[in-house]
């Protein structure tokens, strides 16, 4: 394929915007592995980067966006991969300083590439993408810190977002009693279909909170940050665990040490960007097995490259749910 379509992001006169262009392999940033892309996805970070609203996410322009993709290897100078291999690439510098997944052809360092595990299709792996990997990594980290179905309810905050919807499905499939929290009205049926046993409205923060409140949750998954994450620290049970993987409501965290020293609460950050490859492959193998969502078809939907600008606008306004998969093959 001498020429192919890609969605390249430009910074022109201090205005960040992207458009579909015709690209060539010789124009792509370097790497040992070239693959023909089948699917990519759209993440909140992608929307911030592609519109310039998230600060300096993209570190050089112009750049093809998209922080994850799946496809079939066409050539490799690294012995770990050969033509015909089905592969996944997510995170690292993909789509931030290295041309990303919104391209019909990708060229990447071999150290970023994960073989597609048995049990997943290329479409399913893209529907999971970095969001599914983040959710799976959060489950793994909390389980290593004592989370278990018998210990009680698990709250998932920001429940209609990409990571959180996948987390709900995964947790329910493992037998956890899941409580979903969302600020969006009318989503109760959807969240219950994914496996939530209860759906609660977003908590109202009023006045000066007590340092500790009624202990309600054995564990919590949070994509929101800010005051809602602080509320979670006050309402998790003794020896409870919290996974923090987002900041939709802000980066500030105002709390006290009391949940941590009187209840033994553990707040665990989930950084999916550059996890070591052995752990990365372990999580992807779990995503193809015990963590594979049962309702992925309800969570994900397909869009085209040309649909990206409108999708970014809706995503940044909080008007979407689940996952968008960009069909490139």
């Amino acid at each position: 394929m001498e020429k192919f379509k890609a969605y390249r992001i430009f910074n022109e006169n201090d205005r960040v915007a992207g458009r579909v262009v015709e690209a060539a392999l010789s124009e792509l940033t370097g790497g040992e592995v070239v693959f023909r892309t089948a699917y990519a996805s759209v993440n909140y970070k992608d929307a911030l980067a592609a519109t310039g609203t998230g600060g300096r996410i993209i570190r050089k322009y112009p750049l093809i966006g998209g922080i994850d993709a799946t496809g079939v290897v066409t050539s490799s100078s690294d012995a770990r991969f050969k033509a015909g291999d089905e592969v996944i690439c997510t995170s690292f510098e993909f789509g931030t300083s290295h041309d990303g997944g919104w391209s019909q052809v990708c060229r990447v360092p071999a150290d970023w590439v994960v073989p597609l595990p048995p049990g997943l299709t290329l479409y399913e792996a893209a529907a999971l993408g970095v969001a599914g990997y983040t959710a799976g990594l959060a489950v793994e980290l909390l389980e290593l810190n004592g989370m278990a179905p018998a210990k009680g309810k698990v709250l998932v905050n920001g429940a209609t977002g990409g990571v959180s919807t996948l987390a709900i499905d995964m947790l329910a499939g493992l037998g956890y009693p899941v409580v979903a929290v969302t600020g969006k009205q009318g989503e109760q049926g959807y969240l219950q279909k994914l496996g939530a046993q209860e759906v609660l409205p977003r908590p109202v923060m009023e006045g000066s909170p007590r340092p500790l409140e009624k202990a309600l949750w054995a564990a919590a998954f949070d994509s929101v940050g800010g005051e809602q994450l602080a509320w979670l620290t006050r309402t998790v049970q003794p020896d409870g665990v919290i996974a923090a993987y987002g900041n939709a409501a802000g980066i500030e965290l105002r709390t006290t040490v009391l949940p941590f020293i009187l209840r033994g609460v553990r707040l665990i950050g989930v950084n999916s960007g550059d996890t070591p490859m052995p752990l990365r492959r372990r999580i992807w193998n779990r995503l193809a097995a015990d963590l594979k969502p049962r309702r992925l078809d309800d969570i994900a939907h397909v869009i085209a490259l040309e649909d990206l600008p409108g999708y970014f606008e809706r995503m940044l306004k909080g008007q979407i749910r689940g996952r968008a998969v960009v069909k490139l093959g």
Side-chain angles (χ1 to χ4, degrees):
M1 187 183 289
E2 293 183 3
K3 295 288 185 178
F4 49 86
K5 290 200 302 182
Y7 190 89
R8 186 170 279 141
I9 301 164
F10 300 85
N11 187 345
E12 298 170 323
N13 300 318
D14 290 327
R15 181 179 180 272
V16 175
R19 56 183 177 266
V20 178
V21 300
E22 188 178 73
L25 179 61
S26 60
E27 299 169 355
L28 300 182
T29 40
E32 298 83 22
V33 178
V34 177
F35 63 88
R36 184 165 295 188
T37 314
Y39 300 97
S41 73
V42 187
N43 303 277
Y44 191 74
K45 181 179 179 181
D46 289 323
L48 293 173
T51 57
T53 56
R56 193 170 171 78
I57 294 174
I58 290 181
R59 295 189 285 276
K60 69 173 186 176
Y61 296 95
L63 193 78
I64 296 170
I67 62 176
D68 53 33
T70 66
V72 179
V73 174
T74 57
S75 66
S76 174
S77 61
D78 187 289
R80 289 172 289 179
F81 302 97
K82 64 183 185 304
D85 286 349
E86 295 182 313
V87 294
I88 305 164
C89 184
T90 68
S91 304
F92 297 100
E93 298 173 21
F94 202 40
T96 57
S97 62
H98 190 103
D99 285 319
W102 298 335
S103 174
Q104 290 181 314
V105 175
C106 291
R107 180 165 58 187
V108 296
D111 287 343
W112 298 359
V113 180
V114 176
L116 183 75
L120 283 181
T121 66
L122 291 172
Y123 170 79
E124 290 170 334
L128 289 164
V130 72
Y133 177 77
T134 301
L137 180 60
V139 172
E140 172 94 353
L141 293 175
L142 293 201
E143 286 178 339
L144 289 172
N145 281 272
M147 183 179 74
K151 290 190 174 181
K153 296 177 180 179
V154 177
L155 183 142
V156 180
N157 200 15
T160 60
V163 181
S164 293
T165 53
L166 292 165
I168 290 169
D169 198 333
M170 292 176 195
L171 290 164
L174 293 172
Y176 287 92
V178 179
V179 178
V181 173
T182 180
K184 297 179 181 178
Q185 296 182 352
E187 297 290 359
Q188 180 171 350
Y190 170 68
L191 294 170
Q192 289 176 329
K193 187 175 184 179
L194 298 184
Q197 294 183 5
E198 299 176 58
V199 180
L200 302 178
R202 183 181 297 158
V204 177
M205 310 297 173
E206 294 181 348
S208 299
R210 294 178 295 176
L212 290 172
E213 300 179 29
K214 184 177 180 180
L216 299 170
W217 332 109
F221 288 64
D222 182 69
S223 63
V224 179
E227 290 298 324
Q228 292 187 50
L229 177 55
W231 170 75
L232 287 174
T233 67
R234 302 192 300 270
T235 56
V236 167
Q237 297 170 7
D239 296 319
V241 285
I242 303 169
Y245 49 79
N247 61 317
I251 62 172
E252 298 294 330
L253 179 61
R254 297 186 180 92
T255 186
T256 72
V257 300
L258 295 188
F260 308 106
I261 63 176
L262 295 183
R263 287 184 177 170
V265 171
R266 279 153 287 170
L267 176 59
I268 298 170
V270 182
N271 173 21
S272 63
D274 53 2
T275 45
M277 187 53 70
L279 176 58
R280 186 173 293 271
R281 292 183 70 158
R282 169 175 165 75
I283 299 302
W284 275 109
N285 287 334
R286 289 195 68 185
L287 290 170
D290 66 314
L291 291 181
K292 186 174 182 178
R294 304 160 301 165
R295 298 288 185 180
L296 199 55
D297 287 343
D298 296 310
I299 294 171
H301 59 281
V302 175
I303 66 173
L305 274 179
E306 291 78 8
D307 298 327
L308 284 172
Y311 195 83
F312 299 149
E313 183 178 354
R314 293 171 54 215
M315 176 173 264
L316 295 177
K317 290 180 178 178
Q319 296 174 347
I320 60 97
R321 69 184 187 190
R323 299 277 292 151
V325 178
V326 183
K327 185 176 181 180
L328 291 148

